[in-house]
Coordinates of all heavy atoms in Angstrom, one line a residue:
M265 N 119.1 74.6 136.6 CA 118.4 74.1 135.4 C 118.5 75.0 134.3 O 118.3 76.2 134.4 CB 117.0 73.8 135.8 CG 116.2 73.1 134.8 SD 114.6 72.5 135.5 CE 113.5 73.3 134.5
E266 N 118.8 74.5 133.1 CA 118.9 75.3 131.9 C 117.6 75.6 131.3 O 116.7 74.8 131.3 CB 119.8 74.5 130.8 CG 120.1 75.3 129.6 CD 120.9 74.6 128.6 OE1 121.7 73.7 129.1 OE2 120.9 74.9 127.5
T267 N 117.4 76.8 130.9 CA 116.1 77.3 130.3 C 116.2 76.9 128.8 O 117.2 77.1 128.1 CB 116.0 78.8 130.4 OG1 116.0 79.1 131.8 CG2 114.6 79.2 129.9
I268 N 115.1 76.4 128.3 CA 115.0 76.0 126.9 C 114.6 77.3 126.1 O 113.6 78.0 126.4 CB 113.9 74.9 126.7 CG1 114.4 73.7 127.4 CG2 113.7 74.7 125.2 CD1 113.4 72.6 127.4
K269 N 115.3 77.6 125.0 CA 115.0 78.7 124.2 C 113.8 78.3 123.3 O 113.7 77.1 122.9 CB 116.2 79.1 123.3 CG 117.3 79.7 124.1 CD 117.0 81.1 124.4 CE 118.3 81.8 125.0 NZ 118.1 83.2 125.2
K270 N 113.1 79.3 122.8 CA 111.9 79.0 122.0 C 112.1 79.7 120.6 O 112.9 80.6 120.5 CB 110.6 79.6 122.7 CG 110.4 79.0 124.1 CD 109.3 79.8 124.7 CE 109.2 79.5 126.2 NZ 110.1 80.3 127.0
I271 N 111.3 79.2 119.7 CA 111.2 79.8 118.3 C 109.8 80.2 118.1 O 108.9 79.4 118.2 CB 111.7 78.8 117.3 CG1 113.1 78.4 117.5 CG2 111.5 79.4 115.9 CD1 113.6 77.2 116.6
D272 N 109.6 81.5 117.7 CA 108.3 82.0 117.3 C 108.2 81.7 115.8 O 108.9 82.3 115.0 CB 108.2 83.4 117.6 CG 106.9 84.1 117.2 OD1 106.0 83.4 116.6 OD2 106.7 85.3 117.4
I273 N 107.3 80.8 115.4 CA 107.2 80.4 114.0 C 106.2 81.3 113.2 O 106.0 81.0 112.0 CB 106.8 78.9 113.8 CG1 105.5 78.6 114.4 CG2 107.9 78.0 114.4 CD1 104.9 77.3 114.0
H274 N 105.6 82.3 113.8 CA 104.6 83.1 113.1 C 104.7 84.5 113.7 O 104.0 84.8 114.7 CB 103.2 82.5 113.2 CG 102.2 83.3 112.4 ND1 101.2 82.6 111.7 CD2 102.0 84.6 112.2 CE1 100.5 83.5 111.1 NE2 100.9 84.7 111.3
A275 N 105.5 85.4 113.0 CA 105.7 86.7 113.6 C 105.5 87.8 112.5 O 105.8 87.5 111.3 CB 107.0 86.9 114.2
H276 N 105.1 88.9 112.9 CA 105.0 90.1 112.0 C 105.6 91.3 112.7 O 105.2 91.6 113.8 CB 103.5 90.4 111.6 CG 102.8 89.3 111.0 ND1 103.0 88.9 109.7 CD2 101.8 88.5 111.5 CE1 102.1 87.9 109.5 NE2 101.4 87.6 110.6
V277 N 106.6 91.9 112.1 CA 107.1 93.2 112.6 C 107.2 94.2 111.4 O 107.1 93.8 110.3 CB 108.5 92.9 113.2 CG1 108.5 92.0 114.3 CG2 109.6 92.6 112.2
T278 N 107.5 95.4 111.8 CA 107.7 96.4 110.8 C 109.0 97.2 110.9 O 109.4 97.4 112.1 CB 106.5 97.4 110.7 OG1 106.7 98.4 109.7 CG2 106.3 98.1 112.1
V279 N 109.6 97.5 109.8 CA 110.8 98.3 109.8 C 110.4 99.8 109.6 O 111.2 100.7 109.6 CB 111.8 97.9 108.8 CG1 112.4 96.5 109.1 CG2 111.2 97.9 107.4
Y280 N 109.1 100.0 109.5 CA 108.5 101.4 109.3 C 107.5 101.7 110.4 O 106.3 102.0 110.0 CB 107.9 101.5 107.9 CG 108.8 101.0 106.8 CD1 108.5 99.8 106.1 CD2 109.9 101.7 106.4 CE1 109.3 99.4 105.1 CE2 110.7 101.3 105.4 CZ 110.4 100.1 104.7 OH 111.2 99.7 103.7
P281 N 107.8 101.7 111.7 CA 106.8 101.9 112.7 C 106.1 103.2 112.7 O 105.0 103.4 113.1 CB 107.6 101.7 114.0 CG 109.0 102.0 113.6 CD 109.2 101.6 112.2
D282 N 106.8 104.3 112.1 CA 106.2 105.6 112.1 C 105.1 105.8 111.1 O 104.3 106.7 111.1 CB 107.2 106.7 111.9 CG 108.2 106.7 113.0 OD1 107.9 106.3 114.1 OD2 109.4 107.1 112.7
I283 N 105.0 104.9 110.1 CA 104.0 105.0 109.0 C 102.9 103.9 109.1 O 102.0 103.9 108.2 CB 104.6 105.1 107.6 CG1 105.3 103.8 107.3 CG2 105.5 106.3 107.5 CD1 105.7 103.7 105.8
I284 N 103.0 103.0 110.0 CA 102.0 101.9 110.1 C 100.7 102.5 110.8 O 100.8 103.0 111.9 CB 102.5 100.7 110.9 CG1 103.8 100.2 110.3 CG2 101.5 99.6 111.0 CD1 103.7 99.7 108.9
P285 N 99.6 102.4 110.1 CA 98.4 102.8 110.7 C 97.9 101.9 111.9 O 98.2 100.7 111.8 CB 97.3 102.8 109.6 CG 97.9 101.8 108.6 CD 99.4 101.8 108.8
K286 N 97.3 102.4 112.9 CA 96.8 101.6 114.0 C 95.4 101.1 113.6 O 94.7 101.8 112.8 CB 96.6 102.5 115.2 CG 98.0 102.9 115.8 CD 97.8 103.6 117.1 CE 99.1 104.0 117.6 NZ 99.0 104.8 118.9
L287 N 95.0 100.0 114.1 CA 93.7 99.4 113.9 C 92.7 100.3 114.6 O 92.9 100.6 115.8 CB 93.7 98.0 114.4 CG 92.4 97.2 114.1 CD1 92.2 97.0 112.6 CD2 92.5 95.8 114.8
Q288 N 91.7 100.8 113.9 CA 90.8 101.8 114.5 C 90.0 101.2 115.7 O 89.8 102.0 116.7 CB 89.8 102.2 113.4 CG 90.4 103.1 112.4 CD 89.4 103.6 111.4 OE1 88.3 103.1 111.2 NE2 89.7 104.7 110.7
I289 N 89.7 100.0 115.7 CA 88.8 99.4 116.8 C 89.6 99.3 118.1 O 89.2 99.7 119.1 CB 88.2 98.1 116.4 CG1 87.3 98.3 115.2 CG2 87.6 97.4 117.6 CD1 86.8 97.0 114.6
T290 N 90.9 98.8 118.0 CA 91.7 98.5 119.2 C 92.8 99.5 119.4 O 93.4 99.5 120.5 CB 92.3 97.1 119.1 OG1 93.2 97.0 118.0 CG2 91.2 96.1 119.0
G291 N 93.2 100.2 118.4 CA 94.4 101.1 118.5 C 95.7 100.3 118.4 O 96.8 100.9 118.6
Q292 N 95.7 99.0 118.2 CA 96.9 98.2 118.1 C 97.6 98.5 116.7 O 96.9 98.8 115.7 CB 96.6 96.7 118.2 CG 96.1 96.4 119.6 CD 95.7 94.9 119.7 OE1 95.1 94.4 118.8 NE2 96.0 94.3 120.8
R293 N 98.9 98.2 116.7 CA 99.6 98.3 115.5 C 100.7 97.2 115.5 O 100.9 96.5 116.5 CB 100.3 99.6 115.3 CG 101.3 99.9 116.4 CD 102.2 101.1 116.1 NE 103.0 101.5 117.1 CZ 104.1 100.8 117.5 NH1 104.5 99.7 116.9 NH2 104.9 101.2 118.5
F294 N 101.3 96.9 114.4 CA 102.4 96.0 114.4 C 103.6 96.5 115.2 O 103.8 97.7 115.2 CB 102.9 95.7 112.9 CG 101.9 94.9 112.1 CD1 101.2 95.5 111.1 CD2 101.8 93.6 112.3 CE1 100.3 94.8 110.4 CE2 100.9 92.8 111.6 CZ 100.1 93.5 110.6
L295 N 104.3 95.6 115.8 CA 105.5 96.0 116.6 C 106.6 96.3 115.7 O 106.8 95.8 114.6 CB 105.9 94.8 117.5 CG 104.9 94.4 118.6 CD1 105.5 93.3 119.4 CD2 104.6 95.6 119.5
S296 N 107.5 97.3 116.2 CA 108.7 97.6 115.5 C 109.7 96.4 115.8 O 109.5 95.6 116.7 CB 109.3 98.9 115.9 OG 109.7 98.8 117.3
V297 N 110.8 96.4 115.1 CA 111.8 95.4 115.3 C 112.4 95.5 116.7 O 112.4 94.4 117.4 CB 113.0 95.5 114.3 CG1 114.1 94.6 114.6 CG2 112.5 95.2 112.9
P298 N 112.8 96.6 117.3 CA 113.2 96.7 118.7 C 112.2 96.2 119.7 O 112.5 95.6 120.7 CB 113.6 98.1 118.9 CG 113.9 98.7 117.5 CD 112.9 97.9 116.6
E299 N 110.9 96.6 119.4 CA 109.8 96.2 120.3 C 109.7 94.7 120.3 O 109.5 94.0 121.4 CB 108.5 96.9 119.9 CG 108.5 98.3 120.2 CD 107.3 99.0 119.6 OE1 106.8 98.6 118.5 OE2 106.9 100.1 120.1
Q300 N 109.8 94.1 119.1 CA 109.6 92.6 119.0 C 110.8 91.9 119.7 O 110.6 90.9 120.5 CB 109.6 92.2 117.6 CG 109.3 90.7 117.4 CD 107.8 90.4 117.4 OE1 107.0 91.3 117.6 NE2 107.4 89.2 117.3
I301 N 112.0 92.4 119.6 CA 113.2 91.8 120.2 C 113.0 91.9 121.7 O 113.3 91.0 122.5 CB 114.5 92.5 119.7 CG1 114.7 92.0 118.3 CG2 115.7 92.1 120.6 CD1 115.9 92.7 117.6
E302 N 112.6 93.1 122.2 CA 112.3 93.3 123.7 C 111.3 92.2 124.2 O 111.5 91.6 125.2 CB 111.8 94.7 123.9 CG 111.6 95.0 125.4 CD 111.1 96.4 125.6 OE1 111.6 97.3 124.9 OE2 110.1 96.5 126.4
M303 N 110.3 92.0 123.4 CA 109.3 91.0 123.9 C 109.9 89.6 123.9 O 109.7 88.8 124.8 CB 108.0 91.1 122.9 CG 107.0 90.1 123.4 SD 105.6 90.0 122.2 CE 106.3 89.2 120.8
Y304 N 110.7 89.3 122.8 CA 111.3 88.0 122.8 C 112.2 87.8 123.9 O 112.3 86.7 124.5 CB 112.1 87.9 121.5 CG 111.3 87.6 120.2 CD1 111.9 87.5 119.0 CD2 109.9 87.3 120.3 CE1 111.2 87.2 117.8 CE2 109.2 87.0 119.2 CZ 109.8 86.9 117.9 OH 109.1 86.6 116.8
D305 N 113.0 88.8 124.3 CA 113.9 88.7 125.5 C 113.1 88.4 126.8 O 113.5 87.6 127.6 CB 114.7 90.0 125.6 CG 115.8 90.1 124.6 OD1 116.1 89.2 123.9 OD2 116.3 91.3 124.4
R306 N 111.9 89.1 126.9 CA 111.1 88.8 128.1 C 110.6 87.4 128.1 O 110.4 86.8 129.2 CB 109.9 89.8 128.2 CG 110.3 91.2 128.7 CD 109.0 92.0 129.0 NE 107.9 91.8 128.1 CZ 107.7 92.6 127.0 NH1 108.5 93.5 126.7 NH2 106.6 92.4 126.3
L307 N 110.2 86.8 126.9 CA 109.6 85.5 126.8 C 110.6 84.4 126.6 O 110.2 83.3 126.3 CB 108.5 85.6 125.7 CG 107.4 86.5 126.0 CD1 106.5 86.6 124.8 CD2 106.6 86.1 127.2
N308 N 111.9 84.7 126.5 CA 112.9 83.8 126.2 C 112.8 83.1 124.9 O 112.9 81.9 124.7 CB 113.0 82.7 127.3 CG 114.3 82.0 127.3 OD1 115.4 82.5 127.0 ND2 114.3 80.7 127.7
I309 N 112.5 83.9 123.9 CA 112.3 83.5 122.5 C 113.6 83.9 121.8 O 114.0 85.0 121.7 CB 111.1 84.1 121.8 CG1 109.8 83.6 122.5 CG2 111.1 83.7 120.3 CD1 108.6 84.3 122.0
E310 N 114.3 82.9 121.2 CA 115.6 83.0 120.6 C 115.5 83.6 119.2 O 116.2 84.4 118.7 CB 116.3 81.7 120.6 CG 117.7 81.8 120.1 CD 118.4 80.5 120.2 OE1 117.8 79.4 120.1 OE2 119.6 80.5 120.5
T311 N 114.5 83.0 118.4 CA 114.4 83.3 117.0 C 112.9 83.5 116.6 O 112.1 82.8 117.1 CB 115.0 82.2 116.1 OG1 116.4 82.0 116.5 CG2 115.0 82.5 114.7
G312 N 112.7 84.4 115.7 CA 111.4 84.6 115.1 C 111.4 84.4 113.6 O 112.3 84.9 113.0
V313 N 110.3 83.8 113.1 CA 110.2 83.6 111.7 C 109.2 84.7 111.2 O 108.0 84.7 111.6 CB 109.7 82.2 111.3 CG1 109.5 82.1 109.8 CG2 110.6 81.2 111.9
L314 N 109.7 85.6 110.4 CA 108.9 86.8 109.9 C 108.1 86.4 108.7 O 108.7 85.9 107.7 CB 109.8 88.0 109.6 CG 110.6 88.5 110.8 CD1 111.5 89.6 110.4 CD2 109.8 88.8 112.0
L315 N 106.8 86.7 108.7 CA 105.9 86.4 107.6 C 105.3 87.7 107.1 O 104.8 88.5 107.9 CB 104.8 85.4 108.1 CG 105.3 84.1 108.8 CD1 104.1 83.4 109.3 CD2 106.1 83.3 107.8
P316 N 105.3 87.8 105.8 CA 104.6 89.0 105.2 C 103.1 88.8 105.2 O 102.6 87.7 105.5 CB 105.1 89.1 103.8 CG 105.5 87.7 103.5 CD 105.9 87.0 104.8
I317 N 102.4 89.9 105.0 CA 100.9 89.9 104.8 C 100.6 90.6 103.5 O 100.8 91.8 103.4 CB 100.2 90.6 106.0 CG1 100.5 89.9 107.3 CG2 98.7 90.6 105.8 CD1 100.0 90.6 108.5
V318 N 100.3 89.8 102.5 CA 100.1 90.4 101.2 C 98.7 90.2 100.6 O 98.5 90.1 99.4 CB 101.2 90.0 100.2 CG1 102.6 90.5 100.6 CG2 101.2 88.5 100.1
S319 N 97.7 90.1 101.5 CA 96.4 89.9 101.1 C 95.5 91.1 101.4 O 95.0 91.3 102.5 CB 95.8 88.7 101.8 OG 96.5 87.5 101.5
P320 N 95.4 92.0 100.4 CA 94.7 93.3 100.7 C 93.3 93.1 101.1 O 92.7 93.9 101.8 CB 94.8 94.1 99.4 CG 95.1 93.1 98.4 CD 95.8 91.9 99.0
E321 N 92.7 92.0 100.7 CA 91.3 91.8 101.1 C 91.2 91.3 102.6 O 90.1 91.3 103.1 CB 90.6 90.7 100.2 CG 91.2 89.3 100.3 CD 92.5 89.1 99.5 OE1 93.0 90.0 98.9 OE2 93.0 87.9 99.6
G322 N 92.3 91.0 103.2 CA 92.2 90.5 104.6 C 92.9 91.4 105.6 O 92.7 91.1 106.8
Q323 N 93.6 92.4 105.3 CA 94.3 93.2 106.2 C 94.2 94.7 105.9 O 94.1 95.1 104.7 CB 95.8 92.9 106.3 CG 96.1 91.5 106.9 CD 95.8 91.5 108.4 OE1 96.1 92.5 109.1 NE2 95.3 90.4 108.9
W324 N 94.3 95.5 106.9 CA 94.3 97.0 106.7 C 95.6 97.5 106.2 O 95.7 98.6 105.8 CB 93.8 97.7 107.9 CG 94.9 97.8 109.0 CD1 95.6 98.9 109.2 CD2 95.3 96.9 110.0 NE1 96.5 98.7 110.3 CE2 96.3 97.4 110.8 CE3 94.9 95.6 110.3 CZ2 96.9 96.7 111.8 CZ3 95.5 94.9 111.3 CH2 96.4 95.5 112.1
F325 N 96.7 96.7 106.3 CA 98.0 97.1 105.9 C 98.8 96.0 105.3 O 98.6 94.8 105.7 CB 98.8 97.6 107.2 CG 100.2 98.0 106.9 CD1 100.5 99.2 106.3 CD2 101.2 97.2 107.2 CE1 101.8 99.6 106.0 CE2 102.5 97.5 106.9 CZ 102.8 98.7 106.3
Q326 N 99.6 96.3 104.3 CA 100.4 95.3 103.6 C 101.7 95.2 104.3 O 102.4 96.2 104.5 CB 100.5 95.6 102.2 CG 99.3 95.6 101.4 CD 98.6 94.3 101.5 OE1 99.0 93.3 101.0 NE2 97.4 94.3 102.1
M327 N 102.1 94.0 104.7 CA 103.5 93.7 105.3 C 104.2 93.0 104.1 O 103.9 91.9 103.8 CB 103.3 92.8 106.5 CG 104.6 92.4 107.1 SD 105.3 93.5 108.3 CE 103.9 94.0 109.3
T328 N 105.1 93.7 103.5 CA 105.7 93.2 102.3 C 106.8 92.3 102.5 O 107.4 92.2 103.6 CB 106.3 94.4 101.4 OG1 107.4 95.0 102.2 CG2 105.2 95.5 101.1
N329 N 107.2 91.5 101.5 CA 108.4 90.6 101.5 C 109.6 91.5 101.8 O 110.5 91.0 102.6 CB 108.5 89.9 100.2 CG 107.4 89.0 99.9 OD1 106.8 88.4 100.8 ND2 107.1 88.8 98.6
E330 N 109.7 92.6 101.2 CA 110.9 93.5 101.5 C 111.0 93.9 102.9 O 112.1 93.9 103.5 CB 110.8 94.8 100.6 CG 111.9 95.8 100.9 CD 111.7 97.1 100.2 OE1 110.5 97.5 99.9 OE2 112.7 97.7 99.9
N331 N 109.8 94.2 103.6 CA 109.8 94.6 105.0 C 110.4 93.4 105.8 O 111.3 93.6 106.7 CB 108.4 94.9 105.5 CG 108.3 95.2 106.9 OD1 108.6 96.3 107.3 ND2 108.0 94.2 107.7
C332 N 110.0 92.2 105.6 CA 110.5 91.0 106.3 C 112.0 90.8 106.0 O 112.8 90.5 107.0 CB 109.7 89.8 105.9 SG 108.0 89.9 106.5
Y333 N 112.4 91.0 104.8 CA 113.8 90.8 104.4 C 114.7 91.8 105.2 O 115.7 91.5 105.7 CB 113.9 91.0 102.9 CG 115.4 91.1 102.5 CD1 116.2 89.9 102.3 CD2 115.9 92.3 102.2 CE1 117.5 90.0 101.9 CE2 117.3 92.4 101.7 CZ 118.0 91.2 101.6 OH 119.3 91.3 101.2
L334 N 114.3 93.1 105.1 CA 115.0 94.1 105.8 C 115.2 93.9 107.3 O 116.2 94.1 107.9 CB 114.4 95.5 105.5 CG 114.5 96.0 104.1 CD1 113.7 97.3 103.9 CD2 116.0 96.2 103.7
A335 N 114.1 93.5 107.9 CA 114.1 93.2 109.4 C 115.1 92.1 109.7 O 115.8 92.2 110.6 CB 112.7 92.9 109.9
A336 N 115.0 91.0 108.9 CA 115.9 89.9 109.1 C 117.3 90.2 108.8 O 118.2 89.8 109.5 CB 115.4 88.7 108.3
Q337 N 117.6 90.9 107.8 CA 119.0 91.3 107.4 C 119.6 92.2 108.5 O 120.8 92.1 108.7 CB 119.0 92.0 106.1 CG 118.7 91.1 104.9 CD 119.7 90.0 104.8 OE1 120.9 90.2 104.7 NE2 119.3 88.8 104.7
G338 N 118.8 93.0 109.1 CA 119.3 93.9 110.1 C 119.5 93.2 111.5 O 120.2 93.7 112.4
N339 N 118.9 92.0 111.6 CA 119.0 91.2 112.9 C 119.0 89.7 112.6 O 118.2 89.0 113.0 CB 117.7 91.6 113.7 CG 117.6 93.0 114.0 OD1 118.2 93.5 115.0 ND2 116.9 93.8 113.2
P340 N 120.1 89.3 111.9 CA 120.1 87.9 111.5 C 120.2 86.9 112.6 O 119.9 85.7 112.5 CB 121.3 87.8 110.6 CG 122.2 89.0 111.0 CD 121.2 90.0 111.5
E341 N 120.7 87.4 113.8 CA 120.8 86.5 114.9 C 119.4 86.2 115.6 O 119.3 85.3 116.4 CB 121.8 87.0 116.0 CG 121.3 88.3 116.7 CD 121.3 89.6 115.9 OE1 121.8 89.6 114.7 OE2 120.8 90.6 116.4
R342 N 118.4 87.1 115.3 CA 117.1 87.0 115.9 C 115.9 86.6 115.0 O 114.9 86.1 115.4 CB 116.7 88.3 116.6 CG 117.6 88.7 117.7 CD 117.8 87.7 118.8 NE 116.7 87.4 119.6 CZ 116.3 87.9 120.7 NH1 117.1 88.8 121.2 NH2 115.3 87.5 121.4
F343 N 116.1 86.8 113.6 CA 115.0 86.6 112.7 C 115.4 85.8 111.5 O 116.5 86.0 110.9 CB 114.4 88.0 112.2 CG 113.8 88.8 113.3 CD1 114.4 90.1 113.6 CD2 112.7 88.4 114.0 CE1 113.8 90.9 114.6 CE2 112.2 89.2 115.0 CZ 112.7 90.5 115.3
L344 N 114.5 85.0 111.0 CA 114.5 84.4 109.7 C 113.3 85.0 109.0 O 112.3 85.5 109.6 CB 114.3 82.9 109.8 CG 115.4 82.1 110.7 CD1 114.9 80.7 110.9 CD2 116.7 82.2 110.0
W345 N 113.3 84.9 107.7 CA 112.1 85.5 106.9 C 111.6 84.5 105.9 O 112.4 83.8 105.3 CB 112.4 86.9 106.4 CG 113.4 86.9 105.3 CD1 114.7 86.7 105.3 CD2 113.1 87.1 103.9 NE1 115.3 86.7 104.0 CE2 114.3 87.0 103.1 CE3 111.9 87.3 103.2 CZ2 114.3 87.2 101.8 CZ3 112.0 87.5 101.8 CH2 113.2 87.4 101.1
F346 N 110.4 84.6 105.6 CA 109.7 83.9 104.5 C 109.1 85.0 103.6 O 108.9 86.1 103.9 CB 108.6 83.1 105.0 CG 109.0 81.7 105.5 CD1 109.8 81.6 106.6 CD2 108.6 80.6 104.9 CE1 110.2 80.4 107.1 CE2 109.0 79.3 105.4 CZ 109.8 79.2 106.5
C347 N 108.9 84.6 102.3 CA 108.2 85.5 101.4 C 106.8 84.9 101.1 O 106.5 83.8 101.4 CB 109.0 85.7 100.1 SG 109.2 84.3 99.1
N348 N 106.0 85.7 100.5 CA 104.6 85.3 100.1 C 104.3 85.9 98.8 O 104.6 87.1 98.5 CB 103.7 85.8 101.2 CG 102.3 85.2 101.0 OD1 102.0 84.6 100.1 ND2 101.4 85.6 102.0
V349 N 103.6 85.2 98.0 CA 103.2 85.7 96.7 C 101.7 85.4 96.6 O 101.2 84.3 96.8 CB 103.9 84.9 95.5 CG1 103.3 85.4 94.2 CG2 105.4 85.1 95.6
D350 N 100.9 86.5 96.4 CA 99.5 86.4 96.4 C 99.0 86.7 95.0 O 99.3 87.8 94.5 CB 98.8 87.3 97.4 CG 97.3 87.1 97.5 OD1 96.7 86.4 96.7 OD2 96.7 87.7 98.4

């Protein structure tokens, strides 16, 4: 039986994992591109749609349009990207 590939329509990754601050309460942080791809491989996800986070009033870190673009350009077979203007 063939396995159906999935698409993640709401993803956030960082191309700068060394400078992303962790959330103080949980210690969590955004995944790096290789970490996200590893997770996708485990979950049989073929493509992820990268979304920026540009609302400073709602997040502790800004995920820029440029970040999403760079991640997708470096891995076009795995990621698509959207931009956001706030």
